[in-house]
Amino acid sequence: MRSSGKTIRDACESWLKTCERNGLERATIRSYRGHVMHHIDQKIGSLLVTEISRRDVREFVHDLQDAGVSRSMTKKVLASLRSALSEAVEREWVAHNVAREVKLKRNRREDEERTIPTKDEIRTMIDKAPDQHRPLIVTALFTGMRISELRGLTWDCVDFDKTVIRVEKRADRFNEMGRPKSRTSKRVIPMAPTVVSTLKAWKLKCPNGELSLVFPNGKGNVENHSNIHNRVFVPLLVNNGIVYEDGKPKFSFHALRHAAASLFIEQGWPPKKIQSILGHSSITMTMDVYGHLFENPEDDLELFAKMESDLLAA
């Protein structure tokens, strides 16, 4: 292929415009633009798309990590670079997306540091949550819904007859209502009995608003994420001793999603069902995040003993 003369910067700008045309949420595009502005453009923006190599991408990733960029952010930036180069391929500026061949190695240490609430902590949060906020905590713990999905949940999506919640919308960081995060995020989640009874009682007290939100602010509008964290969740943890030695909360609201997943896994539900309930884009994502929770050494010993018995008995 002849050189197109297009740079990584050109590919990124074209990709961002495509994102805007496709109607992606403002918060999502803002994040993507941040990846480009603060990381990609500064390091490799001037490189030609026809000249960038796998080695260049690997060095770019290593430079980010050496500069102290977190693994989570590095992963997001790499994903944005892949998307920009895919745009370049679509426009026939380059024949191949070299970034797709560069993988970010898993960090076992980060896996170990992911804090999942214990059963005692889960019970404490349910029992000690103020009446006004207990429905939110209960629903989060028993459904595994994302905070954006909970903030955007409306009463028409809570089906008490079928005892299910339909995830059909979400509220972004700007409190704007929109579609779920991805195609697989749109899903139906069965309600545990305690969720049904809690939400039925809450519906009688819930502030009214034009959007008919299940968990609105006092005026019936979309509640800010920061308000939930700072005014609801942090006090709940601190007041009940769910903190580290320095007094800081042990986890964020997102940990309730991890807690729900751990409860699903403990019940022996298959990974595919858990992927569907959590709204993950792939089974790979589910296993990457929670695969270690499926491991049970005692079951493994029984499986190996049976394997040996079956073999020697033949």
Side-chain angles (χ1 to χ4, degrees), residues 65-109:
Q65 295 177 314
D66 290 343
V69 177
S70 69
R71 182 178 183 276
S72 174
M73 177 55 69
T74 300
K75 187 175 182 180
K76 292 176 182 178
V77 172
L78 178 57
S80 290
L81 177 59
R82 289 190 187 119
S83 296
L85 287 176
S86 291
E87 175 82 8
V89 172
E90 284 293 316
R91 292 183 175 277
E92 298 185 352
W93 294 347
V94 66
H96 185 56
N97 185 344
V98 295
R100 289 196 177 280
E101 301 168 4
V102 177
K103 306 297 182 183
L104 193 61
K105 293 182 179 179
R106 290 187 62 188
N107 187 328
R108 289 293 179 181
R109 184 177 179 182

Side-chain angles (χ1 to χ4, degrees), residues 9 30 58 62 66 77 85 90 95 119 131 146 148 163 166 224 226 228 239 265 278 285 308:
R9 183 176 298 117
R30 180 181 177 182
R58 287 196 199 96
H62 292 159
D66 290 343
V77 172
L85 287 176
E90 284 293 316
K119 284 188 175 180
D131 290 343
R146 301 177 178 92
S148 60
T163 62
R166 298 190 305 276
N224 288 325
S226 59
I228 293 175
N239 294 340
I265 292 168
L278 294 177
M285 177 181 289
E308 177 185 297

Side-chain angles (χ1 to χ4, degrees), residues 118-238:
T118 65
K119 284 188 175 180
D120 284 341
E121 290 168 342
I122 291 173
R123 283 190 283 264
T124 296
M125 286 187 283
I126 292 175
D127 293 340
K128 300 298 183 179
D131 290 343
Q132 181 182 356
H133 305 305
R134 186 173 178 273
L136 173 66
I137 301 298
V138 167
T139 305
L141 282 167
F142 283 98
T143 65
M145 292 171 65
R146 301 177 178 92
I147 183 63
S148 60
E149 296 167 345
L150 291 163
R151 291 168 55 237
L153 181 63
T154 52
W155 283 112
D156 62 305
C157 290
V158 179
D159 191 329
F160 289 117
D161 293 330
K162 296 181 179 179
T163 62
V164 298
I165 289 175
R166 298 190 305 276
V167 180
E168 297 179 349
K169 59 199 84 168
R170 63 191 283 266
D172 68 13
R173 72 180 70 178
F174 301 102
N175 297 339
E176 293 181 357
M177 297 288 286
R179 294 174 297 180
K181 186 177 180 181
S182 64
R183 179 178 56 82
T184 53
S185 294
K186 188 174 182 179
R187 61 200 187 279
V188 176
I189 305 175
M191 288 191 284
T194 190
V195 176
V196 174
S197 59
T198 299
L199 290 184
K200 280 185 176 180
W202 171 239
K203 190 172 185 180
L204 302 176
K205 308 174 185 177
C206 179
N208 294 321
E210 292 182 2
L211 296 175
S212 189
L213 294 164
V214 178
F215 304 115
N217 61 19
K219 296 181 179 180
N221 300 320
V222 176
E223 180 62 280
N224 288 325
H225 187 169
S226 59
N227 285 345
I228 293 175
H229 176 76
N230 295 322
R231 301 179 185 178
V232 179
F233 198 65
V234 169
L236 175 61
L237 299 187
V238 172

